[in-house]
Amino acid sequence: MSAPASAPPLAPPRPRPTQEAAAARWHSAMADGLRAPFWVRLLPFLLLAADLLLDFVLPATTAAGFLLTVLPVVVAFSRGPLPVAGATVATIALQTALAARVGHLTEQHHLWVYLATALAGAMGAGLAWQRRRQARDLVRVRTIADTLQHTVLRPVPARTGGLSLAALYHPAEADVAVGGDLYEVCETRFGTRILLGDVRGKGLDAVRTVADVIGAFRIAAHETPDLVELGHQLDRQVMREAAERGDEELFVTAVLAQHDHRAHRIDLVNRGHLAPLLLGPGSVATVPCPEQLPLGLGTLGAGPDGPTSLRLRPGQTLVLHTDGVSEARDASGGFYPLPGRLATLESTDPRTVVAFLDRDIRRHAGPLADDIAVLALSPVG
């Protein structure tokens, strides 16, 4: 009886597409972080050309190889330790050749030049290693920030629940991924639910509140049938966070929306935020939406009993925005005329609206002084 055949060795699991994409982004970011400007990469060649030109111009008794002493350090600003080591060896070889050409190969001052070049090479290799280490740390921080942004502020789907959507988000500080504005879109059994808001304050505390409110919305949006009650839950969440921090002035202005694609209806709850705009062919109108108190201040007074309902027809786009858009100032201090600028658009497609605002706000205000967030949504025809 023959022995059973042994099972073939298991192949190592292949990386998942998301892992492959993450690895590709990491390598691409590392390459970008290590890539020096063109003029820095050109410096070693310019220095070498200058040295050889001097050697040709100066009298034969002069060896111009002294200039090459700093070459390994210059290479370190654009290359890694191994290229620096290779440049050091090549530099010393060229210096000895230039010295030998005029009969100064073993003279004492030339020997010190060789030694100085070797020391410059060692320091250059250390500089290159440190530069790579700092670039790796910077890429890691930027990768974490990018992951944070995509975790806290997920990309808005182009289409969901009978809606076509587009989003615009720019923190005022260009070197951070998340500011004090927030948005979220959730497809639930109650319809497509949307949140757009603005946290009082700036900095890390505002980012913490953004993450907290969005996290609470993602849970409550699927479990709370009533849109007004959903706002109350977020209100209580902000109050709990304010109590934990000891910040009595913490609040969040927000607009909550719920779209029922079967009834072609959208319900709105305004918690102290700017009123939405309804963009139609050749018209822009402010949606009359009674305000409740901002999230975190709900105990100070009662608001409307129910949401504001609006019939959203094909060809119409509802625009939700934060005050960073309407309060963007030009050089003379004038505010950005959002309704008037939207009225100039020939198309109401959400992507067209968002792309236009992205260009037009920057053209009006230049560098942003405040976070901006815009959600544009329209029913799928």
Side-chain angles (χ1 to χ4, degrees), residues 333-356:
F335 290 124
Y336 179 70
L338 178 60
R341 296 302 296 157
L342 288 177
T344 65
L345 286 174
E346 297 181 358
S347 172
T348 60
D349 178 72
R351 289 173 296 180
T352 302
V353 171
V354 163
F356 169 77

Side-chain angles (χ1 to χ4, degrees), residues 10-342:
L10 294 176
R14 294 187 62 186
R16 292 180 295 178
T18 53
Q19 294 174 328
E20 294 176 349
R25 287 197 301 269
W26 169 263
H27 291 303
S28 175
M30 275 297 296
D32 290 340
L34 291 173
R35 186 178 296 111
F38 175 74
W39 67 270
V40 175
R41 300 196 302 271
L42 190 63
L43 280 179
F45 301 99
L46 294 177
L47 180 61
L48 178 61
D51 182 83
L52 294 178
L53 178 62
L54 287 175
D55 186 73
F56 176 78
V57 172
L58 295 177
T61 55
T62 303
F66 296 99
L67 283 180
L68 299 178
T69 302
V70 299
L71 185 62
V73 176
V74 176
V75 172
F77 283 100
S78 58
R79 304 294 178 182
L82 288 180
V84 171
T88 303
V89 173
T91 299
I92 295 176
L94 181 58
Q95 286 174 329
T96 57
L98 293 175
R101 188 177 67 88
V102 292
H104 297 166
L105 178 63
T106 58
E107 289 190 2
Q108 186 175 9
H109 59 287
H110 282 277
L111 295 178
W112 283 109
V113 169
Y114 309 150
L115 178 59
T117 304
L119 290 176
M123 290 185 290
L127 174 64
W129 177 83
Q130 179 64 19
R131 187 177 66 86
R132 292 180 67 89
R133 179 183 176 184
Q134 290 178 338
R136 188 178 296 109
D137 290 342
L138 180 59
V139 168
R140 184 177 293 109
V141 170
R142 287 178 175 172
T143 302
I144 293 172
D146 182 67
T147 303
L148 173 65
Q149 181 181 26
H150 286 82
T151 300
V152 176
L153 297 173
R154 297 171 182 169
V156 170
R159 182 172 294 187
T160 184
L163 284 175
S164 176
L165 302 103
L168 171 64
Y169 188 89
H170 285 302
E173 299 181 34
D175 58 343
V176 300
V178 181
D181 289 357
L182 58 98
Y183 66 81
E184 181 58 301
V185 177
C186 292
E187 183 62 32
T188 75
R189 56 197 170 106
F190 311 113
T192 304
R193 286 184 159 175
I194 298 165
L195 168 69
L196 182 135
D198 186 358
V199 176
R200 186 200 68 83
K202 299 182 181 296
L204 293 178
D205 284 340
V207 174
R208 175 182 167 184
T209 303
V210 166
D212 196 56
V213 171
I214 289 179
F217 175 77
R218 286 171 181 164
I219 296 172
H222 292 275
E223 305 298 332
T224 309
D226 184 71
L227 189 63
V228 174
E229 175 56 29
L230 175 58
H232 292 333
Q233 290 195 33
L234 297 180
D235 178 65
R236 292 191 289 271
Q237 178 62 36
V238 175
M239 284 191 289
R240 284 191 292 268
E241 184 179 352
E244 291 176 1
R245 293 193 202 174
D247 184 357
E248 298 179 354
E249 297 182 355
L250 177 63
F251 64 85
V252 179
T253 66
V255 173
L256 295 164
Q258 176 177 296
H259 179 250
D260 184 345
H261 71 277
R262 292 181 296 272
H264 303 288
R265 186 186 75 247
I266 189 163
D267 296 330
L268 298 167
V269 171
N270 188 341
R271 299 300 302 253
H273 199 75
L274 298 172
L277 297 174
L278 184 61
L279 175 62
S283 66
V284 179
T286 300
V287 178
C289 190
E291 291 186 24
Q292 300 183 33
L293 289 172
L295 304 176
L297 304 178
T299 58
L300 299 180
D305 294 332
T308 298
S309 294
L310 172 71
R311 186 171 179 80
L312 195 59
R313 297 180 174 84
Q316 293 181 321
T317 294
L318 189 68
V319 179
L320 312 178
H321 64 93
T322 58
D323 60 7
V325 176
S326 55
E327 295 181 3
R329 296 174 181 266
D330 60 15
S332 62
F335 290 124
Y336 179 70
L338 178 60
R341 296 302 296 157
L342 288 177

